[in-house]
Amino acid sequence: MAEDTPVKELSTYSKDTPVGHPNFGGRAGVFVPTEAFDLGASTTIRKGAGIVGFGNPDGSLTVYFEANRFDETSLHKWENKIRKAYDRLIALAPTVSKAKMDARTLELIGYIDGVGITLRHPERLTHWLTISNALDTAPESAVITFGRK
């Protein structure tokens, strides 16, 4: 690569990113922060948070997140945080746990819908939970179904 060639920053927004607000039971993306996300300076997304959302026509992401700020026991597990954020997103619930973000700061690792969560890159979730000192909240498998077992 020539030294005068500018480096182009890559976006994680792709053809696989769900676009537009999903309907009740519809599919949304599951995200984790990338190295471009400044976790130390963030006043929104906290370590170990569950992050769900969708792509916007302008290439940004709208995300809802849950970090269990008040240490509610029912939200200890990561999949419960994801489900809580998803329920807020679907209901368009008023919340401060919502943001429009540059797609370079988040990576799509899977999907959530009314049936469950499917992780396509569980190793990225493991990394996120490890650097968050929250590996004990990790799901047992890459596919989590809601409802009866």
Side-chain angles (χ1 to χ4, degrees):
M1 179 153 111
E3 289 186 33
D4 60 343
T5 304
V7 175
K8 182 178 179 183
E9 290 188 39
L10 298 175
S11 171
T12 61
Y13 194 114
S14 74
K15 64 180 176 66
D16 295 330
T17 304
V19 177
H21 191 276
N23 294 325
F24 182 78
R27 187 171 83 153
V30 174
F31 299 91
V32 294
T34 65
E35 291 75 26
F37 184 83
D38 187 356
L39 190 57
S42 175
T43 59
T44 54
I45 297 177
R46 297 173 48 181
K47 288 183 175 181
I51 308 164
V52 300
F54 56 89
N56 299 306
D58 66 0
S60 66
L61 299 171
T62 296
V63 295
Y64 285 65
F65 45 91
E66 176 58 56
N68 195 17
R69 185 175 175 184
F70 300 108
D71 293 324
E72 188 177 320
T73 56
S74 66
L75 292 175
H76 177 71
K77 298 295 277 178
W78 174 85
E79 62 255 37
N80 294 343
K81 293 174 190 169
I82 285 287
R83 180 67 188 264
K84 177 89 170 196
Y86 174 75
D87 289 346
R88 279 193 201 118
L89 174 129
I90 293 299
L92 291 168
T95 181
V96 296
S97 299
K98 174 184 175 183
K100 184 174 178 181
M101 299 185 68
D102 183 329
R104 292 174 295 191
T105 63
L106 297 174
E107 177 181 5
L108 179 69
I109 62 163
Y111 303 97
I112 182 171
D113 59 23
V115 177
I117 303 166
T118 302
L119 297 174
R120 296 181 83 192
H121 301 285
E123 72 284 356
R124 297 300 302 145
L125 174 62
T126 300
H127 174 72
W128 167 234
L129 295 177
T130 299
I131 65 170
S132 299
N133 196 25
L135 196 52
D136 65 317
T137 70
E140 294 177 12
S141 75
V143 176
I144 301 119
T145 56
F146 302 142
R148 296 183 194 182
K149 293 185 178 186

